[in-house]
Amino acid sequence: MLLSLEIAGRKYAADMARGISLAIPLVFGALQPTFFGAPPAEEQVLESGEWVGDTRRGGSCNVKSYHIVPHCNGTHTESIAHLVDDGPQVHEAVQPGFLPATLVSVTPRDKVIDDKLMQVALGRHPEAVFHKALILRTLPNSEDKLTHRYEGPLPAPYLTVQAMEMLVQAGVEHLLVDFPSLDPAQDEGRMAAHRVFWGMPATGHRFADARRPGGTVTELIYVPEAVADGYYFLDLQIPAFMTDAAPSRPVIYPVG
């Protein structure tokens, strides 16, 4: 089935049969990405009296409870509620529908992604209407990202303030990255790149101070090696969780 969308007076099409998931499959109790010292995501069989929610143990069906830290246990999307006392929760920030998106690849320098790298990457794909959502793949793109434990003061790439300012100026409202945080793991609580993205001052947690409250950040995605840089339609799927962050499943469709 072909989907046709009109953006800024121009028509684009995408084949709905060619969707590509950017979510890292989360295997509970097995190898999985983790960040910031969080425990791995785990599952537990529900038991009630003599009844057990496990067909392998004689139960009539499978019923389990799950323990997960969305920010640290795999692909997740967060809203401005991540930083403020009273902002919209992630379910309210992610609206149904397709977003024009640009996928770019960059090679960080000593784990730093600066404005020069981002300027070159966006320059290769200049159609500004597709910069509403930006998907950032870092190179090298090893499958180790699917299970990596991000530990220590600087375990992963991050964006400089100048790089984030450039992305804001480029009109990026939804940012997807394949590392666990826009900021360094240990930055004395500044969270500077997050704050620039949502238009927040350097300190404080008031929603009223945010100039870009509608944006979303999706972290710990994985872009398969065979997927080319370029333009896509993005379907950002999340559960109806009234929280600051939730596990998510970004799906992209190549634009023809």
Side-chain angles (χ1 to χ4, degrees):
M1 180 177 71
L2 289 178
L3 172 70
S4 179
L5 290 178
E6 183 173 318
I7 305 173
R10 182 175 173 184
K11 289 187 177 180
Y12 300 88
D15 188 345
M16 293 293 95
R18 296 178 61 198
I20 304 160
S21 174
L22 305 184
I24 295 176
L26 181 57
V27 184
F28 290 87
L31 288 175
Q32 56 185 254
T34 57
F35 176 56
F36 212 63
E42 296 180 343
E43 62 183 10
Q44 184 175 359
V45 172
L46 180 66
E47 299 184 28
S48 179
E50 295 182 356
W51 183 85
V52 59
D54 189 339
T55 57
R56 293 166 298 183
R57 293 167 56 189
S60 58
C61 59
N62 294 306
V63 181
K64 299 176 182 179
S65 63
Y66 300 92
H67 180 272
I68 183 172
V69 182
H71 288 285
C72 303
N73 294 140
T75 308
H76 61 278
T77 297
E78 55 197 39
S79 71
I80 193 174
H82 188 38
L83 292 188
V84 300
D85 300 328
D86 56 349
Q89 305 300 296
V90 66
H91 172 57
E92 300 169 305
V94 177
Q95 300 299 315
F98 293 91
L99 296 166
T102 303
L103 167 62
V104 300
S105 299
V106 299
T107 303
R109 300 187 183 108
D110 296 323
K111 297 185 178 177
V112 177
I113 303 171
D114 61 22
D115 54 327
K116 296 180 180 64
L117 286 175
M118 292 310 311
Q119 189 170 28
V120 170
L122 284 183
R124 298 191 187 104
H125 307 281
E127 289 197 43
V129 293
F130 278 90
H131 294 170
K132 184 169 185 176
L134 180 66
I135 303 162
L136 180 55
R137 169 172 49 192
T138 56
L139 302 176
N141 192 40
S142 167
E143 289 190 0
D144 174 65
K145 294 174 182 177
L146 298 172
T147 57
H148 190 75
R149 295 181 63 87
Y150 294 92
E151 300 173 327
L154 192 60
Y158 68 94
L159 288 152
T160 66
V161 167
Q162 293 76 18
M164 187 58 73
E165 289 172 342
M166 198 215 79
L167 297 183
V168 168
Q169 188 174 3
V172 176
E173 298 177 22
H174 304 275
L175 180 58
L176 298 83
V177 300
D178 64 1
F179 39 92
S181 177
L182 304 183
D183 290 292
Q186 296 182 17
D187 69 344
E188 300 179 350
R190 289 188 293 269
M191 298 194 71
H194 281 83
R195 287 182 172 272
V196 170
F197 179 77
W198 279 303
M200 294 283 294
T203 59
H205 299 280
R206 292 190 342 134
F207 174 66
D209 293 335
R211 300 189 307 275
R212 288 167 39 90
T216 66
V217 172
T218 301
E219 296 162 331
L220 280 175
I221 65 169
Y222 180 72
V223 184
E225 191 71 18
V227 178
D229 286 5
Y231 303 122
Y232 294 84
F233 290 146
L234 166 68
D235 181 14
L236 185 54
Q237 304 172 2
I238 67 164
F241 286 6
M242 296 301 286
T243 55
D244 73 299
S248 60
R249 183 174 180 255
V251 178
I252 57 173
Y253 299 87
V255 171

